[in-house]
Amino acid sequence: MRRRSRAAEALAAALLLALSAACGSRLPESDFEHDDRTPVPRDAAPLRVGIIASATSPVGGGAFTGPRDGAVAWFDRLNARGGIDGRRVEVRLCDDGGSGVGNNECVHRLVEEDEVVALVATTALDYAGASRVSRARVPDIGGQPLGSAYDTYPHLYGIYGSLAPRDGTTGWDGELYGGTEVYRYFKREHGARTAAVVSYNQSASAAYARLVERGLRAEGYKVVTEQVDFALPNFRAVAADLKEQGADLVFDAIDSHGNARLCQAMDEVGARVTAKVTNVQNWTSTVAEAYKDAPRCRNALWATGSSRNFDDTGHPAVREFRAATKDLKTHSQWQLEGWAAARWFTDAARSCARTGITRACVDASMNRSQGYTAGGLLLPVRFERRPEPPRTSRTCLSVARWQDGEGWVSQGDMNRTCFDVPQLAYEP
C-alpha cells in the first residue's frame, strides 16, 4: 500500500505561507568527495547529524520548526538512554532563513565542515542545496517535501517516500503524481457530493486550487469554485455563496489566517458543512485559539495525512512521543513526523553498528527500508524508482477531526482506510 504523494500539498502550503508574509502585517555547487567507507571506532567522537530548518524565514512564527523540534526531542531521549551503540548523537542545527543562499550555506557547513553522517527532518522553504547533498552522498532522512527535491535526487529520503526514479530529473519528465483518496474518503464515508474550493487571486494559490478541482471532478463531485482578492478578501461573500450552493465539503488554497477568517464568516452566515478539510501543516494543537471566533466551523475541521494522529495517545509510539515532548507549548503533526524521521535515522544507524556507522552504510540501510513505519507512526514508506509513473494506486490515509474538549479525534485505522484511486499528473 502506498500513501499518496503529498508534495503538491506541502509545496502549496509553503507558497501560501510565503505569500502571506509578502503583505507584511496584513497576513499573519561544487561537488564534495569524502571517503566514508572506513568504520569509526567505538571510542570515537559522537555521531553528528544535521537538521536544516527555515526557522527565521520570511514567513516567521516558527512555521517550519515542528519537524526540527520533534527530531531534537528524539535525540535528547536517545542520548539519555545511551545513544547508538554507546555513542552519543550530536545534533548540529542550521537555520537557512528560508532562502536558497542560506540553504546552500547550511549544506556547506553541515556536510563539508561538520561532516555530519546524515541530515534528518529537513524542512526548507527553498532546498537549493539538495543537489549538493545528493552529490556528497549524504543520506537526507525524513525531510518534508516542501519542494520537489525528494522526488528528484538520490540519497534524499522524504518522510512520505517516493516512487520516482530520483535520477536528477524531477518525477517523470518533470511531472509528479498525486491520488484522489481524500476525496474518495469523504464521498464513501460521509456521502459528500458537492465540494467547494476557495483560493486567492494569486498564481500559486490558483494553481493548487485547480489541482484540487481536478481531483474532486475525477471522483464525481459537483465543484464550486470561490476566489477572493488576496489584498482585500471578502470572506463573508464566499461564506454566503457556500451556504447557497449547499457545499458538503470545503477545501482551500489559502493561508492559515485566511482559513480562520473564512471559518468565522461561515459561522456568521450559518453555512454548515460536513467538513472543512485542512492539511498536515495545520494539524496542530492551536486550533482552539486560532479559530476561537468560529466554534461551529472549528468543530467541522478535518485533517488528512500519512502519519498517526499526535493526539492518538492510545498508541504506544504516540504516548512515547508525547511523554518526551510534554514540555513543548504546543504539539503538531509535523513534530511527530520529525520524531519519526529521527527514529528512522537511529534504526538505520543501529543496523550499521557492527561494520561502522558511515554515510554509505546508513544510505544503504535506507535503500532497504521498504515499508518502514517508525513503530507505527507512519504509513508504510516505499522508495521504488519506478521507470513509469503510476496510473492507479492503493493508497491509505490518516484522518482526524477536531472536537472541542477532546482535540484531534482519529477517524478509523489509518492502515485500513485505503482506496484504489487514480494518480493525476501535476507540475511542481
Side-chain angles (χ1 to χ4, degrees):
M1 296 180 186
R2 186 181 78 87
R3 58 93 207 145
R4 72 174 177 134
S5 170
R6 296 199 175 269
E9 182 179 273
L11 177 58
L15 289 171
L16 291 168
L17 284 166
L19 68 88
S20 71
C23 279
S25 61
R26 177 177 293 279
L27 298 172
E29 288 238 54
S30 62
D31 201 353
F32 301 134
E33 294 295 339
H34 295 286
D35 182 1
D36 56 7
R37 293 171 294 178
T38 304
V40 180
R42 291 188 57 171
D43 60 353
L47 288 168
R48 289 179 181 170
V49 300
I51 300 177
I52 299 175
S54 299
T56 57
S57 71
V59 176
F64 299 108
T65 58
R68 177 202 69 186
D69 295 344
V72 168
W74 168 271
F75 288 126
D76 285 345
R77 171 186 169 280
L78 179 69
N79 287 332
R81 298 185 177 188
I84 299 174
D85 195 36
R87 296 178 65 184
R88 179 174 167 272
V89 175
E90 180 180 307
V91 179
R92 297 293 179 94
L93 302 177
C94 194
D95 173 12
D96 68 9
S99 74
V101 171
N103 187 263
N104 270 307
E105 290 174 352
C106 280
V107 167
H108 172 77
R109 177 159 69 83
L110 296 176
V111 171
E112 186 174 48
E113 295 181 355
D114 292 348
E115 297 185 315
V116 297
V117 70
L119 298 176
V120 177
T122 300
T123 312
L125 182 59
D126 181 358
Y127 198 178
S131 62
R132 300 174 69 183
V133 174
S134 179
R135 288 200 302 272
R137 296 179 174 85
V138 175
D140 178 339
I141 300 171
Q144 290 291 336
L146 297 183
S148 58
Y150 293 99
D151 287 299
T152 301
Y153 299 108
H155 312 294
L156 273 61
Y157 304 92
I159 192 68
Y160 307 131
S162 175
L163 303 183
R166 292 189 297 133
D167 57 4
T169 299
T170 298
W172 295 266
D173 296 324
E175 290 187 327
L176 297 177
Y177 287 75
T180 61
E181 65 278 1
V182 171
Y183 320 127
R184 180 77 59 87
Y185 169 82
F186 285 102
K187 182 178 180 180
R188 191 188 76 175
E189 299 296 324
H190 300 283
R193 293 293 182 270
T194 301
V197 183
V198 182
S199 65
Y200 288 126
N201 60 342
Q202 189 275 343
S203 59
S205 178
Y208 180 61
R210 287 193 296 270
L211 180 61
V212 174
E213 292 163 23
R214 282 182 58 210
L216 287 165
R217 290 196 172 96
E219 290 295 332
Y221 281 85
K222 173 187 174 183
V223 180
V224 177
T225 59
E226 305 281 356
Q227 191 171 85
V228 294
D229 185 86
F230 175 60
L232 296 170
N234 187 347
F235 288 115
R236 189 176 181 88
V238 171
D241 194 51
L242 295 178
K243 181 180 180 181
E244 177 69 21
Q245 297 281 352
D248 302 311
L249 308 177
V250 176
F251 293 87
D252 71 85
I254 62 177
D255 61 300
S256 298
H257 180 69
N259 265 300
R261 293 179 63 192
L262 174 60
C263 261
Q264 182 179 355
M266 289 170 63
D267 272 18
E268 289 172 352
V269 304
R272 298 175 181 267
V273 296
T274 299
K276 170 70 181 71
V277 187
T278 190
N279 56 47
V280 68
Q281 192 170 9
N282 294 315
W283 194 339
T284 74
S285 62
T286 61
V287 168
E289 175 61 24
Y291 293 83
K292 63 181 184 300
D293 296 321
R296 187 186 303 116
C297 182
R298 181 174 69 233
N299 282 279
L301 285 175
W302 292 64
T304 64
S306 299
S307 53
R308 191 173 299 277
N309 178 11
F310 73 84
D311 269 343
D312 184 9
T313 53
H315 192 279
V318 177
R319 285 200 302 274
E320 185 179 36
F321 161 72
R322 293 298 294 266
T325 57
K326 64 181 184 299
D327 293 332
L328 295 179
K329 293 181 179 180
T330 63
H331 284 94
S332 72
Q333 205 63 17
W334 263 13
Q335 289 170 359
L336 179 140
E337 291 181 354
W339 170 276
R343 177 171 179 163
W344 203 350
F345 162 78
T346 301
D347 289 341
R350 281 175 172 158
S351 74
C352 297
R354 179 173 295 183
T355 58
I357 302 173
T358 65
R359 291 174 174 178
C361 184
V362 172
D363 186 65
S365 179
M366 290 299 299
N367 272 318
R368 296 191 300 269
S369 62
Q370 301 303 323
Y372 186 77
T373 68
L377 293 178
L378 304 174
L379 287 168
V381 183
R382 288 158 56 189
F383 300 96
E384 292 191 6
R385 298 180 184 268
R386 292 188 182 181
E388 299 295 330
R391 299 303 177 184
T392 63
S393 180
R394 183 160 181 80
T395 310
C396 304
L397 71 159
S398 175
V399 185
R401 178 183 181 181
W402 177 268
Q403 291 183 265
D404 287 348
E406 298 184 54
W408 289 101
V409 179
S410 298
Q411 306 294 305
D413 182 346
M414 70 178 187
N415 291 294
R416 295 182 179 180
T417 307
C418 306
F419 307 90
D420 294 301
V421 295
Q423 300 291 306
L424 306 180
Y426 66 92
E427 293 185 2

